[in-house]
Amino acid sequence: MNYHQYYPVDVVNGPGTRCTLFVAGCSHQCRGCYNQSTWRIDSGHPFTPAVENQLIDDLNDHRIRRQGLSLSGGDPLHPNNTSAILRLVKRVKRECPDKDIWLWTGYMLNELNELQQEIVSHINVLIDGKFEQELHDPTLIWRGSNNQVIHYLR
Ligand code: SF4
C-alpha cells in the first residue's frame, strides 16, 4: 500500500485531535473529486513498517492526546489497500485500545466484500458513498455530499 500524507496532529478530519492517513488508490472516479492525485495505487510513498510504527507511537504519545485515527485517501478500502489496512486497524485496536478509528470510503456499507467488512468490524465510524457533485453541501461536517452517510458502528 502507498500513502500520500500522514498528519500526526490533525483537528480537521474527524472529532478531536487525531492522527490522519491519506492512502493512495481509488477507483470511484467521482466527478469533482478534490483528491485526484491519489487515484493511482502507485502514487505517493510506500507505507513502510517504519511509518506504521511511527503512527502507533504517535497515537500512544501522551504529550499530545489524540482521540483516534482517521483513514482517508484515495480509498482505504480499495482492493490494493485492504490487507495493509486490516493489519493496521487490528494493530491499533490491540496496541491503542482507547483510540477510535474513523474511515472514509467511496463504497457503500451494504456493498462491501468479506475483507472490507472485516476491516469495518474493527473501526468505530464509517463514512460511506461516492462524492456526488450535485449533492455537495459545504455546510456538512465530515462529508462532502448529502448522499454520504456517517455510520456510528460502535
Ligand atoms: S471516493 Fe473520494 S478520493 Fe475517490 S474519487 Fe471519490 S471523492 Fe475522490
Side-chain angles (χ1 to χ4, degrees), residues 27-87:
S27 55
H28 299 295
Q29 301 189 337
C30 307
R31 201 160 52 87
C33 170
Y34 51 90
N35 230 351
Q36 291 194 19
S37 64
T38 65
W39 286 5
R40 282 178 40 186
I41 57 173
D42 61 354
S43 61
H45 324 278
F47 186 67
T48 61
V51 179
E52 184 176 306
N53 290 339
Q54 183 64 55
L55 188 155
I56 297 292
D57 288 348
D58 290 336
L59 283 173
N60 284 328
D61 179 359
H62 297 298
R63 290 170 301 178
I64 303 175
R65 195 187 177 283
R66 278 84 162 180
Q67 180 172 329
L69 170 66
S70 292
L71 297 168
S72 188
D75 195 329
L77 298 187
H78 184 284
N80 192 66
N81 298 334
T82 43
S83 56
I85 291 292
L86 179 60
R87 190 182 65 238

Side-chain angles (χ1 to χ4, degrees), residues 86-104:
L86 179 60
R87 190 182 65 238
L88 177 62
V89 297
K90 281 181 167 176
R91 191 172 169 199
V92 169
K93 282 293 143 189
R94 193 172 60 244
E95 298 182 33
C96 321
D98 61 329
K99 307 302 176 188
D100 62 21
I101 303 176
W102 286 47
L103 189 151
W104 280 257

Side-chain angles (χ1 to χ4, degrees), residues 90-145:
K90 281 181 167 176
R91 191 172 169 199
V92 169
K93 282 293 143 189
R94 193 172 60 244
E95 298 182 33
C96 321
D98 61 329
K99 307 302 176 188
D100 62 21
I101 303 176
W102 286 47
L103 189 151
W104 280 257
T105 181
Y107 298 99
M108 304 278 289
L109 178 58
N110 64 6
E111 68 181 15
L112 301 182
N113 66 30
E114 215 168 291
L115 191 49
Q116 292 167 326
Q117 286 180 33
E118 191 179 352
I119 292 169
V120 169
S121 75
H122 294 284
I123 70 170
N124 299 85
V125 177
L126 180 81
I127 297 92
D128 74 346
K130 291 173 66 165
F131 172 70
E132 302 283 354
Q133 202 163 34
E134 34 309 327
L135 298 177
H136 172 55
D137 179 350
T139 66
L140 295 171
I141 303 175
W142 299 321
R143 57 200 177 111
S145 54

